[in-house]
Amino acid sequence: MEFFDVAWRLLVVMLAFLVLPLLVGQAEHKVMAHMQGRVGPMHAGGFHGWAQLVADGVKFAQKEDIVPAAADRRVFQLAPAVALVPYLIVLIAIPVAPNGVVGQVVDAGIFFVLAVLGVGVLGQVMGGWASANKYSLLGGMRTAAQLMAYELPLLLAAASVVMASGTLSLPGILDVWQWWWLPWQLVGAFVFFVAGVAELHRPPFDAPLAPEEIIFGPLTEYGGLRFAFFMLSEYAGIVVISALTSVLFLGGWHGPFADQLGWLWMLLKTAALCFLVIWMRVAWPRLRADQIQRFAWTCLVPLALAQIALTGVVKVVFL
Amino acid sequence: MGLPGSGLAKGLAITLRTMTRRSVTAHYPDVQPELPARSRGVIGLFEENCTVCMLCARECPDWCIYIDSHKETVPATTSGGRDRSRNVLDRFAIDFSLCMYCGICIEVCPFDALFWSPEFEYAETDIHELTHEREKLREWMWTVPEPPPLDPAAEEPKEVGSARKAADKLAVQLAEQLEQEQLEQEHGEAAEAADPGTPGAGTPGPAADSGAAEPPTTDRPEKPERPDRSEPSDRSDRPGPPEDRRQGREGEA
């Protein structure tokens, strides 16, 4: 029984990992198109281009696997996997519905999740270093700098929630979550979400990729399936960051009829945040590398510290 | 620039508003475009009007019009008259791989033998196929739309003016003839009448005159010498492919 239970949970997590990023990618195609007065893909699959990403995947799979002659071969080939797998592992720890509907209950879940998330970014740094390409190197350096800058506010904002709930376990946090945590942790939510988007190098924080400037940075030399893995990791990252934000700050499965519809609330909140990520990409221009650094250190870090102070005061004085 | 971040909010608002509106994408292969009148798609040849004057071929900046012809002699119609010679068109082709759609040939044609058609879907996989021979150019004529109506208070087209002049002249002639006949009749019936022609002779038939002035204004054609007016032209089905259209016409005929 134990074995089948674990296998069943892992299968579902794997399925979610394969399906949700594609849904987000398709949503990005369509939402971005309509926000720009276009219609986006219309032909693949027949109905409003629903199979566009499947078609893309088939195309990627057909391409030749090229490693530049001067590249650090092993590191270059390993980088996409390092970028992609951590998001799969993070998904295991994210609770979807009450009463233990989660891939695996991890006691120090928040530590686990944030540590593994940081590994994902390393994949891009590896790719940037191993490509033997100056643009990739520039992008890799920017990636590393961005990782350093935004990991701190991300951790501080998460720490604020941990302080409020008094537990490191993600399902544990949701068990004690109350609706008034929303305004209480509002600043923390902002910091966490923005820092998460910045770690994914999504616009407006995509200076490390910057196709018009340093031609996709760490991904310049990648093609075919490896490039597809990097792309998939980006969208898996959107799913993970949105899910984590909704678990930590928006109450995850909390909502009317949470016992039956908890998973639906969780999905809806995650989807809304994914939409926000796409929306920001369409509406806002790219920040320069120095602007990204300044935003992290002069804006997000002080805000996160202020949130921790507020959490501490409320916790000590009122609870 | 008011509050910091108001520009970001504006960007979000604009994109969201755009998302709720209809997209402007033209779904071309699925939906045919609504082309404006006088679109320059392809050139049709109304070969019945062509006199092989070669003006189009000579004015063409790309030299993409090919014309071959020969002379035929038409025997004199009256005895003792002179035989007439006449140009007969053997080949008329336009190479649309060279054509730059300037429309000079159509402008320059003095006999209204060339017309713009809005049809544009005649891409080929072989460049030689883009040389449309006379039969094909004649087929394009079926797709030439009726010219759009003139702007309100626009100057009257020259051909309408000349047509009216001719019609007026004809009407006056007709009226005079009628009058003449009437007079002769009256003379024949009442030869003893003293002054027969008073009603008609003083003013040359006011009734007849007004009647003569009427036809050109009421039922004058917009462009009398437009050759395709004899065809029942309905503009609603203009963007349809020429084959369908042709079949439809053959069905009608």
Side-chain angles (χ1 to χ4, degrees):
Chain A
M1 267 346 270
E2 186 72 14
F3 171 77
F4 283 115
D5 186 53
V6 170
W8 165 244
R9 281 164 190 266
L10 289 184
L11 191 72
V12 170
V13 168
M14 191 69 196
L15 213 64
F17 178 71
L18 291 179
V19 170
L20 291 181
L22 291 187
L23 285 181
V24 173
Q26 184 70 16
E28 180 171 68
H29 271 318
K30 287 311 232 182
V31 167
M32 186 153 70
H34 281 280
M35 281 183 170
Q36 295 168 343
R38 303 181 286 119
V39 289
M42 286 298 280
H43 291 281
F47 180 75
H48 285 263
W50 66 269
Q52 182 60 46
L53 289 179
V54 180
D56 284 349
V58 171
K59 187 196 79 173
F60 278 133
Q62 290 171 342
K63 288 199 168 185
E64 187 185 358
D65 180 28
I66 296 175
V67 180
D72 189 338
R73 205 176 170 81
R74 275 291 151 74
V75 180
F76 183 87
Q77 288 176 331
L78 200 63
V82 175
L84 183 59
V85 173
Y87 294 116
L88 170 63
I89 297 175
V90 169
L91 269 189
I92 293 175
I94 293 179
V96 180
N99 311 321
V101 182
V102 51
Q104 175 65 43
V105 180
V106 185
D107 279 343
I110 219 164
F111 272 151
F112 173 76
V113 161
L114 292 178
V116 175
L117 268 185
V119 174
V121 185
L122 282 184
Q124 295 216 339
V125 181
M126 285 167 63
W129 179 253
S131 290
N133 177 316
K134 60 188 170 193
Y135 294 115
S136 301
L137 186 61
L138 275 175
M141 292 299 111
R142 288 185 186 182
T143 305
Q146 203 156 313
L147 175 67
M148 302 296 286
Y150 283 87
E151 198 68 12
L152 183 62
L154 194 77
L155 288 175
L156 290 177
S160 161
V161 182
V162 173
M163 281 169 63
S165 60
T167 170
L168 282 170
S169 152
L170 291 175
I173 289 172
L174 283 180
D175 284 337
V176 294
W177 191 84
Q178 304 286 325
W179 68 266
W180 52 267
W181 288 27
L182 272 179
W184 183 24
Q185 302 290 339
L186 186 67
V187 177
F190 170 76
V191 171
F192 186 88
F193 186 62
V194 170
V197 171
E199 286 219 346
L200 297 173
H201 313 128
R202 287 287 300 180
F205 303 103
D206 64 337
L209 299 178
E212 298 85 358
E213 180 191 350
I214 53 171
I215 37 178
F216 270 105
L219 313 187
T220 301
E221 297 291 351
Y222 283 94
L225 264 188
R226 291 182 205 281
F227 182 75
F229 282 158
F230 270 123
M231 280 312 189
L232 186 61
S233 78
E234 180 178 334
Y235 290 98
I238 295 175
V239 172
V240 165
I241 288 293
S242 301
L244 272 182
T245 308
S246 50
V247 165
L248 292 178
F249 297 95
L250 303 182
W253 42 258
H254 282 278
F257 309 106
D259 280 340
Q260 292 87 37
L261 295 178
W263 58 273
L264 184 62
W265 292 115
M266 177 67 190
L267 273 184
L268 280 180
K269 288 169 184 177
T270 307
L273 287 174
C274 290
F275 177 80
L276 198 58
V277 173
I278 296 167
W279 194 5
M280 292 193 320
R281 171 175 178 185
V282 181
W284 294 344
R286 177 182 306 134
L287 290 174
R288 281 197 316 264
D290 65 306
Q291 288 170 330
I292 289 176
Q293 292 295 320
R294 186 189 306 172
F295 182 66
W297 295 108
T298 65
C299 185
L300 287 190
V301 171
L303 279 179
L305 290 173
Q307 173 66 61
I308 286 188
L310 176 71
T311 308
V313 168
V314 171
K315 185 87 178 166
V316 171
V317 176
F318 297 103
L319 300 178
Chain B
M1 284 307 293
L3 284 155
S6 64
L8 296 180
K10 200 188 272 177
L12 290 178
I14 286 176
T15 44
L16 193 67
R17 207 180 312 136
T18 311
M19 191 177 75
T20 58
R21 293 191 182 144
R22 276 199 83 74
S23 60
V24 296
T25 305
H27 298 263
Y28 158 57
D30 303 322
V31 181
Q32 288 291 326
E34 290 229 357
L35 294 172
R38 304 178 199 275
S39 288
R40 300 182 168 202
V42 70
I43 297 170
L45 168 70
F46 190 64
E47 62 177 63
E48 291 85 334
N49 275 4
C50 181
T51 61
V52 203
C53 68
M54 304 291 284
L55 279 180
C56 51
R58 294 208 280 173
E59 293 298 326
C60 176
D62 290 341
W63 291 88
C64 69
I65 302 180
Y66 309 103
I67 301 177
D68 288 338
S69 69
H70 68 272
K71 248 180 205 171
E72 270 178 12
T73 312
V74 184
T77 45
T78 52
S79 60
R82 186 165 62 89
D83 287 354
R84 302 279 171 158
S85 65
R86 187 168 74 86
N87 278 326
V88 179
L89 190 64
D90 292 329
R91 180 186 184 217
F92 194 110
I94 299 179
D95 187 349
F96 283 105
S97 65
L98 293 178
C99 177
M100 62 182 189
Y101 301 89
C102 64
I104 289 177
C105 52
I106 293 163
E107 287 287 317
V108 88
C109 179
F111 301 105
D112 275 352
L114 291 170
F115 293 89
W116 277 121
S117 157
E119 294 296 326
F120 60 94
E121 291 176 311
Y122 51 93
E124 302 284 355
T125 49
D126 183 356
I127 198 169
H128 298 107
E129 304 279 305
L130 275 173
T131 303
H132 291 191
E133 293 294 338
R134 138 191 205 187
E135 293 77 25
K136 196 155 185 189
L137 292 173
R138 184 63 183 84
E139 294 301 334
W140 289 125
M141 268 316 289
W142 302 120
T143 66
V144 172
E146 195 181 340
L150 293 173
D151 291 338
E155 198 182 321
E156 192 180 55
K158 253 195 290 187
E159 58 263 37
V160 172
S162 58
R164 175 185 296 122
K165 225 180 190 172
D168 281 352
K169 216 164 150 190
L170 202 72
V172 170
Q173 268 180 13
L174 224 72
E176 278 173 359
Q177 204 179 331
L178 263 172
E179 220 171 289
Q180 212 66 44
E181 282 173 14
Q182 230 170 1
L183 277 176
E184 279 165 17
Q185 268 183 2
E186 280 173 19
H187 273 297
E189 283 171 11
E192 70 273 14
D195 44 357
T198 30
T203 56
D209 197 61
S210 67
E214 216 69 59
T217 48
T218 50
D219 54 9
R220 72 161 192 267
E222 281 164 52
K223 242 187 147 191
E225 52 263 43
R226 268 314 274 270
D228 54 325
R229 284 199 57 83
S230 55
E231 298 298 325
S233 61
D234 38 351
R235 309 200 293 158
S236 56
D237 59 342
R238 180 181 39 141
E243 288 79 29
D244 299 359
R245 210 183 153 80
R246 213 176 333 147
Q247 278 164 10
R249 288 195 185 282
E250 278 163 9
E252 281 167 28

